[in-house]
Amino acid sequence: MANDRSAGNVTIPVEQRRIAAEEVRLPPSVLLEGTPGRILLEALRLFAERGFHGTSIRDLAEACGIRPATLYAHFPAKEQVLAELIRIGHEDHYGRLARAGGTDPVSRLRAVVREHVLAHAEYPLLATVANNELHALSAEMAAPALLIRADGRQLLIDILNAGIDEGVFALPDPFLAVTAISGMGMRVANWYGSGVPYTPEEVADTYAEFALRVAGVST
């Protein structure tokens, strides 16, 4: 039995699964009808828990209740299943960042980081696969996601630079600050699950305040 460690008034289990989340779901904008949808959902579950290289075509076909030949009729290669999940994850994530509100650098940073964290707390399996398995794609197939990721990073750098110019942020290196803020949010996907005593909104709001402190804002 796992031992528990108390954190304030909250008890956190010391031992956890590799991925804490268990619910397998994709954003509502994704069409999940028929066999292609079932393949994507089962691939999401297997890739998150076992990794891309730890999941065979036979594993995926058996999980879907189909023959490997049927799977190939929808996705010519296992890599294309992964590429589709990574595309979905990166496009959903960047869309959230681009739509975030805020009229000044402080409110903008808070809103963008909040959406960054929500994406990882609401769809932790998708975020885990999109981030951790990107290296498994060929350079050609990874390129679209890498471009989206660069756009998201630049969006955050622009916010920090604007805050520095206006004198509301005090930090020595915007790029390293972006790396710290982004990494902090990405890790949420690994530990957030139904057993955590926080809502996604509570986590996102708290992490947004952490990001403001990284930027040198007293909250």
Side-chain angles (χ1 to χ4, degrees):
M1 179 180 297
N3 294 323
D4 290 341
R5 180 177 294 120
S6 178
N9 294 324
V10 178
T11 299
I12 305 295
V14 174
E15 297 176 4
Q16 297 185 358
R17 297 169 59 248
R18 189 172 76 91
I19 303 298
E22 296 181 351
E23 184 178 359
V24 182
R25 59 194 183 98
L26 290 167
S29 59
V30 181
L31 295 178
L32 294 174
E33 298 178 352
T35 302
R38 189 159 73 252
I39 292 171
L40 287 177
L41 287 174
E42 290 298 339
L44 177 61
R45 177 179 65 82
L46 291 171
F47 292 166
E49 185 59 34
R50 303 181 186 179
F52 175 74
H53 293 298
T55 303
S56 68
I57 282 291
R58 183 177 297 277
D59 293 334
L60 183 51
E62 288 180 354
C64 295
I66 60 177
R67 295 178 181 274
T70 303
L71 193 153
Y72 284 128
H74 296 281
F75 294 93
K78 186 177 68 163
E79 186 182 22
Q80 291 188 326
V81 182
L82 176 61
E84 179 64 6
L85 289 172
I86 288 176
R87 179 194 67 79
I88 291 169
H90 278 78
E91 288 186 354
D92 178 73
H93 177 259
Y94 182 74
R96 288 169 176 260
L97 302 189
R99 293 190 298 269
T103 57
D104 60 87
V106 172
S107 63
R108 208 45 196 127
L109 179 60
R110 180 183 283 113
V112 166
V113 172
R114 190 175 188 278
E115 290 300 325
H116 172 57
V117 175
L118 280 175
H120 288 78
E122 292 177 349
Y123 299 100
L125 296 187
L126 178 61
T128 297
V129 170
N131 292 323
N132 292 358
E133 303 300 326
L134 180 59
H135 70 280
L137 294 180
S138 66
E140 180 181 5
M141 296 193 76
L146 291 174
L147 288 174
I148 295 173
R149 181 173 290 197
D151 288 343
R153 183 167 56 244
Q154 190 60 52
L155 184 152
L156 196 48
I157 289 175
D158 289 345
I159 293 172
L160 293 182
N161 283 332
I164 292 171
D165 292 342
E166 294 183 21
V168 294
F169 293 159
L171 66 165
D173 191 311
F175 178 79
L176 291 182
V178 166
T179 300
I181 292 169
S182 298
M184 179 173 65
M186 288 169 64
R187 290 294 298 171
V188 170
N190 290 91
W191 61 261
Y192 191 83
S194 60
V196 175
Y198 305 100
T199 66
E201 291 76 16
E202 288 172 335
V203 176
D205 288 339
T206 301
Y207 273 54
E209 296 306 312
F210 291 163
L212 291 175
R213 295 183 187 183
V214 170
V217 177
S218 177
T219 61

